[in-house]
Every structure is written in structure tokens, then in C-alpha cells.
Amino acid sequence: MKKLLLLIPALYLMSSCGTTSVSQSNQVPVNVDKYTSFTLTTDLSQLSANERKMLPYLMKAADIMNELFWYEAYGKKNALLDYLKGDAKKFAEINYGPWDRLAGNKSFVKGISDKPLGANFYPTNMTKEEFEAANLKDGNSLYTFVRRDLEGNLYTIPYHVMFEPEVKMAADYLRQAARYADDPGLKNYLLKRADAFLTDEYYESDLAWMDMKDNGIDIVIGPIETYEDALYGQKAAHEAYILVKDKEWSKRLEKYADFLPELQKNLPVNAKYKQETPGSDSDLNAYDVIYYAGDCNAGSKTIAINLPNDEQVQLEKGTRRLQLKNAMQAKFDKILVPISNELVTPEQRKHVKFDAFFANTMFHEVAHGLGIKNTVNDKGSVREALKEHASALEEGKADILGLYMVNQLLKKGELEGDIKDYMVTFMAGIFRSVRFGASSAHGKANMIRFNFFKEKNAFTQKADGTYQVNFDQMEVAMNELSELILELQGNGDYEGVEELVNTKGIIPADLQADLQRLNDAGIPVDVVFNQGMQYLK
């Protein structure tokens, strides 16, 4: 019986949602040029000799996250890539499957349907009613797959069992890297993270990661975000970032986390929706990212991180906010500025600035720590109550409260600049992000905000097709949307959020026409990376 149980994971590795055979004649034309390339590098002279020795081991561990995410997203990677040719193959590698992540996860391979909401975390023929009726042990766990046994019954299998050889190898690479860790906090984190891979128990390693303060090199690795599970929003997907701290920029940022308790108290919402106190150990740092793998490397690329996601860790320790400065600069120069030249009214283009883009992105991550993590009416955590809509609403909250924080800190004299810079750059950022499509959590959040702002006259589209920010109305809309989102989260109002997503989380025809102008102008949608040891100097 033990042998049979061990064989079942291997059988499912060979039979997943994306194993339809395809030939070159079945390939739909793709536009690889919607991505522009950028080389990830940093000045290695700022690292110690031992830190440089760690990098190959960390990259090998990250490469394993790549393979695990391919399975979570699609299934049989090699079966797909062996059939595809040319641009279609390259496009599949960018998207980790046969679905265009920047076009609503539509299939670009004939014979393969559009992406299942549950990716490869669940059987594709499973209904929500069947899953809920099964009442599976650990069915709602972040770290289990749902599968069918030979009789067709649903059961769960933990990640560390499904991926046993791979996670053992990843753990070994982290332990080898830990041998060269000069910083005790980094060494402790790597060893605890290695142990967590073998058990799917990440709490202790999350605490260890929060306790790191002086390390020059960092790695975010493991099953982390739940965006890939669009069915329930509860299965975490594997990813990795390898990072080198920008100590000069980090020094400029360190003071802002201290304002979290005061900003929480002043949120524009009833007191019961801000009764939680943000963790006191939250910190902000800027990094050069030198390696992406897995979930964060699929389709649109992350430029800032706010972790851990564990609500218990957040309440105890807060979170760490990591700004990926080099990747952010690439998106600003290659994408945001050209978008602004097309869609922002000429008189306001002078307000589109990198420092404002950096701050808006940074305070988005800080704002994840504001508001409430548990409902006020005993519906459990916000994530549990809002299910598949939790991620979209949380991203919307972070976006709008990030701008709220900028406005408050400017008024206090704690942030430099003109609110017009931040607001116009924020508006341009909506156009950049909404091009990722309205199917993702970030895409829905952007569309809700765009449509809400439009209703509140926060911007005006002029006769020449460009957009002008109306600054006073923007501030009013910012406060009203903040209040709405915080109340929906605090009440665990699933039906209210669903209505908001269905009515405002869509791209209207006039905006779609504007986005097509950007495509016609040849402005890329996102970036792909040249990365690895060969690009580091």
C-alpha cells in the first residue's frame, strides 16, 4: 500500500491540465515584442567573498522553484515545449504555459483551452460544489494539491510529498549556501527555510526572515503568493528572488515604517476597521534584484515585495518591504515614460518622475500593513472570508492607501516633492498596470480604481485623447475608495466585493481603445530578464 501511495504523485505529474499534444501548425501567432529585455546585474564588489560564493547555490535552489511552478501552473512542461517552435516556444517560456498572461490567460495554442481558474492545483473537471462537499482534510491549506484517486474521489497531497525529490534538493542548496553566510540572521533563515521545504511548515522561517537586519544578500524563496489559484485564491505557488541590498537607498527609506501606527489611526474609515496595530518590526529596504524564478517571473514582473503573508507573523512582527530598484527603473524608463507621452496631457507630463514612481510603489507595499487582517464580525480572516476575491481587493487597498500615505506624509513634511508628481505618476501607473489584463488580482484592482476615479471625476479625458488629473477630485476619490475597500474587508463582505469586481473590475471599450494606441505605438507591456552569473559584474 505504501508503494501505491508513493506512485500516485508521479502519475499526476504525468497527467495534468496542460498535456494536450500540439503541433507547429496549431500555434496561434504571438507577439513576443510586447516584452522588452533588461539585464539584471549589480556591483558584486559590495558583497563579501563569502556572499559571492553563496550566489551559485541560491540560483540552483531558485531554478528548482522554476520547475515546481511550471507544474503548478501547467503540468508537463517538456511535453509542451518540445512541440512548440520559434516565437510560440519563447512565449510559452515567458508565460509558463500556453496561455497569454497579459491577455486574460487566453490560449495561444489551438487544441488547448483557456487557462483553468485553478491552474494545476485542482482537477480541471472538479466543481466548487464537489470540492466543498468533499470537506477534505487540509483542502484549504496553502500547501496541498487536490487530486482524484483511482476511483475518482478527491483527496489532498502535501507539496513536500508531491515534490519530495525536488524540495530535498532545494533544501540541500540552501544549506550549502548557509555555510558561507557571514550574517547570523541570514544563516539562521536559510537553515530554517531548508527545513520548511521538507514539512510545509513555514512559520518559523518567516519569523527568521523578519529578524534579518544586516544582511547584504537576500533570497525570497518557497511557495508564497496565491494569485495563481484563481479558483479559491488559497494555493501558494513557488517562486524565488535573489537580491543585493542597495544600502544608500535603504538608509533613505528606513524611517517610513515608523509612521505606520500613526497612519493606521488616521485612516479615513470608522475606528472598528482600524483597530489592529501594525507590527513594530516592519522595515523598508531597496535592492538590486539579480534573479527571478517561478511565479514572480511569469508574465508581468514584480517590482516590489511585501512579505510574509502569514497574518500571525504580520501581527507579531509586521512585514518587510523590499523595493526592487533596478527592475523598477527599467519599467519606468522603457514603459511608463513612453505611456505618459501618449496618454498624459502635455501640460502634466513634467509631473511623471521616477522618485514619485518609486515612492508610489514603495508605499503600496507599506500599505499592505494598514487596515485589518481579521474581520470585525467573526467571519475569520479577510483572506478566508473573501476567498478568490481577497487578493484583488487587497491589491486595490494597497494601491489606494499607498497614495493616501504619500499625501499624509507630504502634509507632515516627512516626504519631499509635489503631490501633483505623485498623482500624475499614479495615474500613468494605472495605464501601465492595466495592460497586464483584468484577469489578474492586480488587473482587477487597477480597473476598479480607474472606473471609480472616472465616476468621481478624478480625471478628465481631453479632446486629443490624453488624460488630465483633477487634483482636488483625486484626493476626494482616494479617501472614498479607501473607506469602501476597508469596510468591505472588515465586514468580510464577499457579495459586496463580488459586485464591485463584476461592475468595476472590467476594461471599458474607450479605455481598451486607448490601450490599443499604446500597442500601435510599439510600447512594450512588460520586461523579460537576461539573468544569471554570466551577467553579474
Side-chain angles (χ1 to χ4, degrees):
M1 188 65 181
K2 183 177 181 182
K3 287 186 178 180
L4 175 61
L5 291 174
L6 291 174
L7 280 172
I8 288 175
L11 288 173
Y12 277 101
L13 282 166
M14 300 298 291
S15 58
S16 63
C17 63
T19 58
T20 305
S21 296
V22 294
S23 65
Q24 188 172 2
S25 63
N26 282 336
Q27 297 168 195
V28 176
V30 296
N31 179 19
V32 178
D33 291 338
K34 70 168 64 178
Y35 292 92
T36 184
S37 63
F38 179 75
T39 298
L40 294 178
T41 188
T42 193
D43 181 4
L44 290 184
S45 66
Q46 61 190 306
L47 299 180
S48 70
N50 276 342
E51 286 175 326
R52 292 194 293 273
K53 289 177 183 177
M54 296 173 67
L55 292 178
Y57 296 110
L58 297 180
M59 288 185 183
K60 289 177 180 178
D63 286 338
I64 292 174
M65 301 302 104
N66 246 346
E67 298 306 311
L68 302 189
F69 181 69
W70 254 105
Y71 175 69
E72 291 160 344
Y74 172 72
K76 288 179 64 178
K77 167 189 172 183
N78 292 336
L80 177 69
L81 296 183
D82 287 347
Y83 280 104
L84 296 177
K85 308 296 180 185
D87 283 351
K89 181 174 182 177
K90 182 177 180 180
F91 208 56
E93 290 171 338
I94 292 171
N95 286 280
Y96 289 74
W99 307 293
D100 187 346
R101 291 174 179 267
L102 303 188
N105 283 317
K106 297 293 184 183
S107 173
F108 57 86
V109 178
K110 292 179 181 178
I112 296 182
S113 60
D114 294 342
K115 188 178 180 187
L117 291 177
N120 197 27
F121 295 111
Y122 311 87
T124 55
N125 62 353
M126 183 197 79
T127 65
K128 280 192 170 185
E129 292 77 14
E130 180 186 15
F131 175 77
E132 289 161 8
N135 194 27
L136 298 173
K137 180 180 184 297
D138 297 325
N140 296 324
S141 168
L142 292 165
Y143 312 119
T144 61
F145 288 97
V146 178
R147 293 292 181 256
R148 292 192 188 279
D149 62 22
L150 299 179
E151 296 178 351
N153 299 311
L154 298 178
Y155 74 102
T156 59
I157 181 167
Y159 286 4
H160 73 276
V161 176
M162 178 71 89
F163 296 138
E164 184 176 2
E166 292 86 356
V167 296
K168 283 184 176 179
M169 190 178 301
D172 185 56
Y173 285 135
L174 293 186
R175 292 188 181 109
Q176 291 183 67
R179 293 184 305 166
Y180 298 104
D182 298 318
D183 179 69
L186 177 58
K187 180 186 288 286
N188 183 48
Y189 163 65
L190 291 173
L191 294 176
K192 287 187 180 300
R193 203 65 168 181
D195 292 342
F197 274 132
L198 307 182
T199 62
D200 295 326
E201 296 176 3
Y202 287 91
Y203 174 74
E204 292 296 335
S205 64
D206 280 348
L207 290 178
W209 188 72
M210 282 298 302
D211 288 337
M212 293 193 305
K213 302 295 182 184
D214 302 318
N215 49 305
I217 193 170
D218 204 341
I219 182 169
V220 175
I221 188 168
I224 298 172
E225 303 289 1
T226 60
Y227 306 126
E228 193 69 10
D229 175 8
L231 185 65
Y232 281 106
Q234 62 188 15
K235 301 302 180 187
H238 284 81
E239 64 182 353
Y241 308 79
I242 301 174
L243 310 157
V244 175
K245 184 180 286 186
D246 185 323
K247 296 179 180 178
E248 179 182 348
W249 272 70
S250 295
K251 185 69 176 176
R252 293 166 56 181
L253 307 181
E254 62 184 17
K255 67 177 182 179
Y256 292 119
D258 294 337
F259 290 104
L260 275 175
E262 178 184 349
L263 290 166
Q264 174 85 342
K265 291 178 182 177
N266 294 332
L267 288 175
V269 70
N270 184 279
K272 68 180 179 179
Y273 299 107
K274 50 186 178 181
Q275 59 188 330
E276 296 173 357
T277 302
S280 59
D281 286 348
S282 300
D283 64 353
L284 294 168
N285 287 288
Y287 294 83
D288 281 339
V289 54
I290 58 173
Y291 211 73
Y292 283 76
D295 190 16
C296 60
N297 196 42
S300 60
K301 309 303 186 293
T302 302
I303 54 177
I305 304 168
N306 176 62
L307 292 172
N309 287 329
D310 187 318
E311 292 89 349
Q312 183 180 351
V313 178
Q314 290 180 7
L315 291 174
E316 288 181 33
K317 294 274 190 178
T319 60
R320 288 178 58 199
R321 285 88 176 192
L322 294 75
Q323 314 307 306
L324 312 185
K325 183 169 168 280
N326 56 341
M328 209 180 293
Q329 186 77 59
K331 293 201 182 192
F332 181 82
D333 293 340
K334 295 194 171 195
I335 301 172
L336 192 67
V337 170
I339 286 174
S340 302
N341 291 336
E342 284 286 332
L343 293 183
V344 173
T345 190
E347 295 79 10
Q348 292 189 347
R349 288 174 191 166
K350 63 185 178 182
H351 292 300
V352 178
K353 297 180 179 179
F354 177 73
D355 282 0
F357 180 56
F358 183 93
N360 286 342
T361 305
M362 173 179 70
F363 286 114
H364 165 103
E365 300 305 331
V366 176
H368 279 299
L370 296 177
I372 201 162
K373 304 300 179 187
N374 297 294
T375 59
V376 300
N377 49 10
D378 298 322
K379 290 186 179 180
S381 71
V382 171
R383 181 165 58 181
E384 291 169 339
L386 299 185
K387 301 177 183 177
E388 73 272 18
H389 297 313
S391 293
L393 198 65
E394 177 62 23
E395 293 306 324
K397 180 201 81 173
D399 280 333
I400 199 64
L401 288 188
L403 185 61
Y404 163 81
M405 291 179 69
V406 165
N407 195 34
Q408 294 297 306
L409 291 170
L410 282 170
K411 290 179 178 179
K412 287 173 59 67
E414 297 292 347
L415 187 65
E416 296 180 357
D418 183 340
I419 188 59
K420 295 179 180 179
D421 297 343
Y422 296 94
M423 285 186 171
V424 177
T425 303
F426 186 87
M427 187 70 201
I430 294 178
F431 297 125
R432 180 188 71 84
S433 297
V434 79
R435 295 177 79 202
F436 300 154
S439 62
S440 69
H442 291 83
K444 289 185 177 71
N446 275 285
M447 285 320 309
I448 289 169
R449 186 166 58 261
F450 178 89
N451 289 317
F452 190 93
F453 280 2
K454 186 176 182 179
E455 284 184 7
K456 300 296 180 179
N457 198 34
F459 61 81
T460 302
Q461 189 168 23
K462 302 178 73 175
D464 63 359
T466 61
Y467 288 79
Q468 173 181 293
V469 174
N470 303 322
F471 299 108
D472 291 341
Q473 291 94 323
M474 174 78 85
E475 183 170 359
V476 172
M478 172 187 71
N479 289 333
E480 290 183 358
L481 183 56
S482 297
E483 181 179 25
L484 173 63
I485 290 176
L486 290 167
E487 288 180 352
L488 287 169
Q489 285 189 320
N491 293 333
D493 186 354
Y494 179 88
E495 291 76 17
V497 178
E498 188 165 49
E499 181 182 0
L500 184 67
V501 170
N502 289 339
T503 57
K504 290 189 171 61
I506 53 175
I507 301 177
D510 54 349
L511 177 59
Q512 189 63 61
D514 293 329
L515 299 180
Q516 187 58 46
R517 286 169 52 194
L518 303 180
N519 295 337
D520 294 342
I523 299 172
V525 180
D526 210 69
V527 294
V528 291
F529 298 121
N530 304 315
Q531 57 180 357
M533 291 300 298
Q534 68 269 36
Y535 295 104
L536 298 176
K537 59 182 180 179

